[in-house]
Amino acid sequence: MTVTTAMPWPARIVFGVVLLGLGALLGSWVYDHGRSLAGMPARPSPVELDSAVRQLAELRIERDRLATSANAAESQLNIERAAQKELTTQIKLLEAENIRIKEDLAFFESLLPVDPRGTGVAIRGISAELSAPTQLQYRLLVMQGGKRATNFEGSLRLSVAVMQNGRTLSLNFPEGKSSEINNFKLGFRHYQRLEGTLTLPAGVTPRSFQATVLEKGQVRAQQTLNL
């Protein structure tokens, strides 16, 4: 029979703390010894740790600054791209407008009378072209020379010669009871510009376009354009 003496609780606590301390010291020594065996520097000092923390903070600040600059640069680039796109669109619109103005200028220059002292009515600058299979766009100018004291009052008649199934047909505009007769009336002192679109039957091929100026039922000018 063995008799054991129980260790008092305070002694047990002290003994436990001593063991924990020794374990911590042993662990620290093993850690440092392992770093030295691996060729790594010993544990940094508090000063070195503070320096490393400061450098890390500075790097983070620099990173944030560079990120902000990059975002600002990207935003500026997007703005410049949008401005460039808008400028390109405006340039295209201006180029189209310039082409239209040049065409109008050439058109009106071609309409100038050869002899401004002449009298009578003339058709100038006549043009016609298909904008769709059944849509014929036309443009012309009716002028009168000399110093006529009164306005010219008359009407315009358009005729389109077409081929259909091997036959030649003539389409007249406006038709006898057309609601667009007013669009073909003429009333001017020096000139009147007319343009519009004629609707042709499906399946026809236009061959020629003729414009006739009438005054009180009498032909005053006539011009034919081959298509």
Side-chain angles (χ1 to χ4, degrees), residues 10 12 29 33 37 48 68 115 142 161 164 169 184 188 222:
R12 291 183 180 183
W29 178 83
H33 186 64
L37 291 177
E48 292 175 335
T68 301
D115 184 3
V142 181
Q164 186 179 42
L169 303 177
F184 293 86
F188 59 91
Q222 190 174 75

Side-chain angles (χ1 to χ4, degrees), residues 121 142 148 151-157 181-188 192 194 212-218 220:
V121 177
V142 181
R148 186 167 176 168
N151 292 346
F152 176 83
E153 299 290 341
S155 61
L156 178 70
R157 183 179 66 201
I181 291 180
N182 290 333
N183 296 334
F184 293 86
K185 288 185 177 181
L186 300 175
F188 59 91
Q192 182 174 343
L194 299 103
T212 304
V213 175
L214 303 171
E215 183 182 24
K216 297 179 180 180
Q218 300 295 318
R220 296 304 181 192

Side-chain angles (χ1 to χ4, degrees), residues 81-119:
R81 286 175 178 172
Q84 183 178 8
K85 184 177 180 180
E86 178 66 21
L87 182 60
T88 301
T89 301
Q90 292 180 2
I91 290 175
K92 290 181 179 180
L93 291 175
L94 290 175
E95 288 177 347
E97 180 69 12
N98 189 36
I99 292 174
R100 188 190 65 80
I101 291 175
K102 287 182 178 180
E103 290 177 349
D104 287 347
L105 179 60
F107 174 74
F108 280 109
E109 285 178 347
S110 68
L111 301 177
L112 294 176
V114 177
D115 184 3
R117 296 171 298 177
T119 59

Side-chain angles (χ1 to χ4, degrees), residues 5-13 15:
T5 303
M7 183 180 293
W9 280 109
R12 291 183 180 183
I13 294 174
F15 182 73

Side-chain angles (χ1 to χ4, degrees), residues 159-178:
S159 299
V160 183
V162 300
M163 292 291 296
Q164 186 179 42
N165 298 327
R167 297 186 304 166
T168 301
L169 303 177
S170 181
L171 306 176
N172 297 317
F173 303 88
E175 299 177 357
K177 297 181 180 180
S178 174

